[in-house]
Amino acid sequence: MSTYGLVHGSCHTGEHWGPVRKHLEAAGHTVVTPTVLGHGPGVEKRVNHAQQVEDLVHQIVTADLRDFVLLGHSYGGTIIARLAEEIPDRIRRLIFWNAFVPAPGHCLNDEVPPHYRAMFDGMAAQSPDNSVMLPWPVWREAFINDASEALAKEAYDSLSPEPYQPFKDKLDLSRFYQTTIPKSYLNCTEDTALPAGPDWGWHPRMSSRLGLYRLVQMPGSHEVLFTNPALLAAKIIEAGRD
Amino acid sequence: MSTYGLVHGSCHTGEHWGPVRKHLEAAGHTVVTPTVLGHGPGVEKRVNHAQQVEDLVHQIVTADLRDFVLLGHSYGGTIIARLAEEIPDRIRRLIFWNAFVPAPGHCLNDEVPPHYRAMFDGMAAQSPDNSVMLPWPVWREAFINDASEALAKEAYDSLSPEPYQPFKDKLDLSRFYQTTIPKSYLNCTEDTALPAGPDWGWHPRMSSRLGLYRLVQMPGSHEVLFTNPALLAAKIIEAGRD
Amino acid sequence: MSTYGLVHGSCHTGEHWGPVRKHLEAAGHTVVTPTVLGHGPGVEKRVNHAQQVEDLVHQIVTADLRDFVLLGHSYGGTIIARLAEEIPDRIRRLIFWNAFVPAPGHCLNDEVPPHYRAMFDGMAAQSPDNSVMLPWPVWREAFINDASEALAKEAYDSLSPEPYQPFKDKLDLSRFYQTTIPKSYLNCTEDTALPAGPDWGWHPRMSSRLGLYRLVQMPGSHEVLFTNPALLAAKIIEAGRD
């Protein structure tokens, strides 16, 4: 049995892993689902990427997590790439689930289409705390395209604004690109949160940056943690085993 | 429950939707399956794209269809893009099922590989009425690759020649590219009626032209209306719901 | 019922088809699984591509195989392309299963990424007999990504070194590129033995070279003959039927 550390994406918190956690635990695994700094309703949104990483390192070292499989979803990919630099000896394998694998020196915003950056810039400028939120139509059509409207709405109502500064913080990542920690990429084949295709898509654009990696795929959108947590848990196990 | 208007592709007629219609109606939906002008055995093939659109507008207005989901298959994509310009207030959502989304000012022939155009040109010149027909080997290998030979033949025998002029009629589409009607793209993952890949494939080449759209995928060829109508109906519902 | 001739890939032998053969035979088909010259433990590895083809022609003519479906897996694609030149009248259809379709005049090495060529060159130079072997991490992550670790190891232990000269033998293939034998491409959607994507991937890079061809896809890695032989057999039948 394995220990899984699951790092959520933008606008989510650790609590969103609930149904996935249940399936992984039912299969005998131990699951840790930290919340990244600045995430959740009512918390301080003026944080940066370095603070988020520092806080997670502290959480992991305090809990003395060792030999665990570290998964990042979406924005969480930028976090686990950095954790692989800070606490490499604790990590058994990295799983990027439709996650950003930033090129060396890039920030998240360098990896998204210009119309997304423009939308985020406008939202952050309008916000009281430099945060952004996915508009409903984008969420419904491009993020959770496999949900019923009712589930899409229920999930949307559980989201909270995303701190924007970490999208703009450049990440050196030179140590990440030299790590020998085994890596998997889990790709949902109907995920259009990034536009499908070679220019902007998740796979193989992001996955191929991992060098030698294990590809695991499943049907579904960017948000199968809401729409198909049972299959997601099974695929996490396929991606995470030795 | 919803109303679906299903617009067939080349060499087909509205009757070919029969099995799909049955599944949609069993799920409680209302289904309308008009035949596009110039389609079917023994009818006048010397029609143009504008006449086809005008005739369908007349059919839809006469039946007073409102608030309906409008789907186009293959060539039918060129039709529904135009209908979205002519009767936008009647359409709840557009679904392009492995359908052409012509670039502004393009005709269908501008969107297919040169060897297809050359084949069509030769056939039309040889025909008595400026029509074209898919050769059996192309149908069997590239259009209905997931069928048994018997089903492939039975389906082929039900086809009829396609009016060629509409493939060459340029479509302005500037109003279509400004419409705010919600859009879905339904992609069959083994559809090689257009050659797979970024240069000529259906998805994401055609789908990405829709801007914000909902992606739904299913296994199968260009002709799952023959080979898997039950799953096609289920995916139409996923693509068509709010 | 059909006769299938199955040509294995690098480091494999004809015996590896055992479970697939069982399923094909259970469906009533006849199956022939020759071993390509230089493959298997303890045999002479200093052979070239022409000798491999000559030997297989001899095996097929001696057995008087006629009207059979000829499938090549991976490296086996280079073999069946040549067999289609040498014994075209005996072949009913060609199936390339995640197989190389070399461009005219190319050798296999011309079709793989530079880092693979460099790895092979180094291994062959170190070997006593100009042979190469997949390193375990590459096998586990990129070739048999859908297996449990135990199955991955068991399969790895059954492999044997690959003669290297045939990877470097240029193949004219002008007769192959003119053949009218029907062709299918069977693609496993999680096969990363060649890096996914338009630059180096199997499909559509290799498949599109076949001109008119039938696409059949299934989930799984490069080695579904170990991980899912039942589905592989079913898809071979879909790819091989008329």
Side-chain angles (χ1 to χ4, degrees), chain B residues 20-101:
Chain B
V20 174
R21 165 203 283 276
K22 192 187 68 180
H23 291 288
L24 287 171
E25 288 176 347
H29 301 290
T30 302
V31 182
V32 181
T33 59
T35 290
V36 181
L37 208 65
H39 288 74
V43 307
E44 175 59 54
K45 300 292 172 184
R46 289 188 187 83
V47 298
N48 62 32
H49 200 281
Q51 289 170 316
Q52 292 178 328
V53 171
E54 185 184 25
D55 177 68
L56 280 169
V57 168
H58 180 72
Q59 288 190 50
I60 290 165
V61 171
T62 302
D64 199 22
L65 283 184
R66 294 177 183 275
D67 198 31
F68 70 107
V69 177
L70 177 60
L71 176 147
H73 177 219
S74 196
Y75 171 70
T78 73
I79 299 287
I80 68 168
R82 283 287 294 113
L83 290 175
E85 296 189 314
E86 297 300 321
I87 49 164
D89 295 343
R90 293 177 180 269
I91 302 171
R92 188 175 185 90
R93 178 178 286 267
L94 295 165
I95 305 176
F96 292 81
W97 165 38
N98 287 93
F100 289 93
V101 182

Side-chain angles (χ1 to χ4, degrees), chain B residues 4 11 32 40-41 58-59 84 112 123 143-144 151-152 166 204 230:
Chain B
Y4 287 93
C11 305
V32 181
H58 180 72
Q59 288 190 50
V112 302
M123 285 177 157
F143 277 66
I144 196 161
L151 176 55

Side-chain angles (χ1 to χ4, degrees), chain C residues 1-215:
Chain C
M1 296 300 102
S2 304
T3 299
Y4 287 92
L6 309 179
V7 178
H8 60 81
S10 297
C11 304
H12 293 60
T13 71
E15 289 185 25
H16 284 106
W17 293 111
V20 174
R21 165 202 282 277
K22 193 188 69 181
H23 290 288
L24 288 171
E25 288 176 348
H29 301 290
T30 301
V31 182
V32 181
T33 58
T35 291
V36 181
L37 209 64
H39 288 75
V43 307
E44 175 59 54
K45 300 292 173 185
R46 289 188 186 81
V47 297
N48 63 31
H49 199 280
Q51 289 170 317
Q52 292 178 327
V53 171
E54 185 183 26
D55 177 67
L56 280 170
V57 168
H58 180 73
Q59 289 190 50
I60 290 164
V61 171
T62 301
D64 200 22
L65 282 185
R66 293 177 183 275
D67 199 32
F68 71 106
V69 176
L70 177 60
L71 177 148
H73 177 221
S74 195
Y75 171 71
T78 74
I79 298 286
I80 69 168
R82 284 284 295 113
L83 289 175
E85 295 189 315
E86 297 300 320
I87 50 166
D89 296 343
R90 293 176 179 270
I91 303 171
R92 188 174 185 91
R93 179 179 286 268
L94 296 165
I95 305 176
F96 292 81
W97 164 38
N98 287 93
F100 288 94
V101 183
H106 273 201
C107 62
L108 182 142
N109 261 3
D110 293 330
E111 303 289 359
V112 302
H115 70 276
Y116 268 22
R117 276 202 299 281
M119 180 179 77
F120 293 148
D121 283 346
M123 286 177 155
Q126 295 286 325
S127 77
D129 52 6
N130 197 31
S131 69
V132 297
M133 184 65 193
L134 281 174
W136 161 255
V138 175
W139 170 259
R140 203 282 165 270
E141 304 292 14
F143 277 65
I144 197 162
N145 32 317
D146 55 349
S148 69
E149 189 185 26
L151 177 55
K153 279 190 169 148
E154 183 192 322
Y156 189 68
D157 289 342
S158 77
L159 304 179
S160 49
E162 177 71 8
Y164 190 45
Q165 181 57 43
F167 281 27
K168 299 192 288 186
D169 289 334
K170 304 282 188 183
L171 306 175
D172 175 76
L173 294 182
S174 53
R175 286 178 292 160
F176 167 69
Y177 275 100
Q178 288 168 7
T179 186
T180 58
I181 301 172
K183 304 171 194 75
S184 296
Y185 203 93
L186 171 52
N187 181 55
C188 291
T189 53
E190 282 76 39
D191 185 337
T192 51
L194 283 180
D199 291 343
W200 294 110
W202 296 107
H203 172 69
R205 185 171 69 110
M206 291 293 161
S207 51
S208 65
R209 296 177 182 176
L210 298 177
L212 180 64
Y213 73 98
R214 182 188 307 169
L215 175 66

Side-chain angles (χ1 to χ4, degrees), chain A residues 36-39 44-56 75 78-79 82 129-130 162-171:
Chain A
V36 181
L37 209 65
H39 289 74
E44 175 58 54
K45 300 290 172 186
R46 289 187 187 81
V47 298
N48 63 31
H49 200 280
Q51 290 170 316
Q52 292 177 328
V53 171
E54 185 183 26
D55 176 69
L56 280 169
Y75 171 71
T78 72
I79 298 287
R82 283 286 295 115
D129 51 7
N130 197 31
E162 177 71 10
Y164 191 46
Q165 180 58 43
F167 282 26
K168 299 193 287 186
D169 288 335
K170 304 282 188 182
L171 306 175

